Amino acid sequence: MKFWGISIRQEREAVLILAKKEDKKTIMQEIHKKCGMQSETNGIVLSLPVDEIIGVN
């Protein structure tokens, strides 16, 4: 579907997980097994560093 000549993609969901650095790779691998590009969800898993966060105990 296009809107003003720009392709509009189907709505997607994002899941954010805050985890310890040493747990990151295992978590990412397990998510990829179930929801990666080879699954019907065609999902991607990415990691971003977090320097600070407010509101989480």
Side-chain angles (χ1 to χ4, degrees):
M1 181 168 63
K2 289 193 174 204
F3 182 73
W4 288 346
I6 300 170
S7 294
I8 306 294
R9 299 191 75 166
Q10 178 180 347
E11 183 178 318
R12 299 290 179 167
E13 295 180 22
V15 176
L16 304 175
I17 298 172
L18 186 61
K20 293 179 181 178
K21 187 175 184 176
E22 56 268 15
D23 298 331
K24 175 184 75 169
K25 187 163 185 137
T26 302
I27 293 169
M28 292 178 72
Q29 288 172 332
E30 291 302 314
I31 293 170
H32 177 72
K33 285 180 189 176
K34 300 282 183 179
C35 305
M37 292 298 288
Q38 286 71 38
S39 72
E40 66 181 49
T41 60
N42 295 317
I44 61 168
V45 182
L46 63 97
S47 170
L48 299 172
V50 176
D51 294 330
E52 287 185 54
I53 189 163
I54 297 173
V56 175
N57 295 328

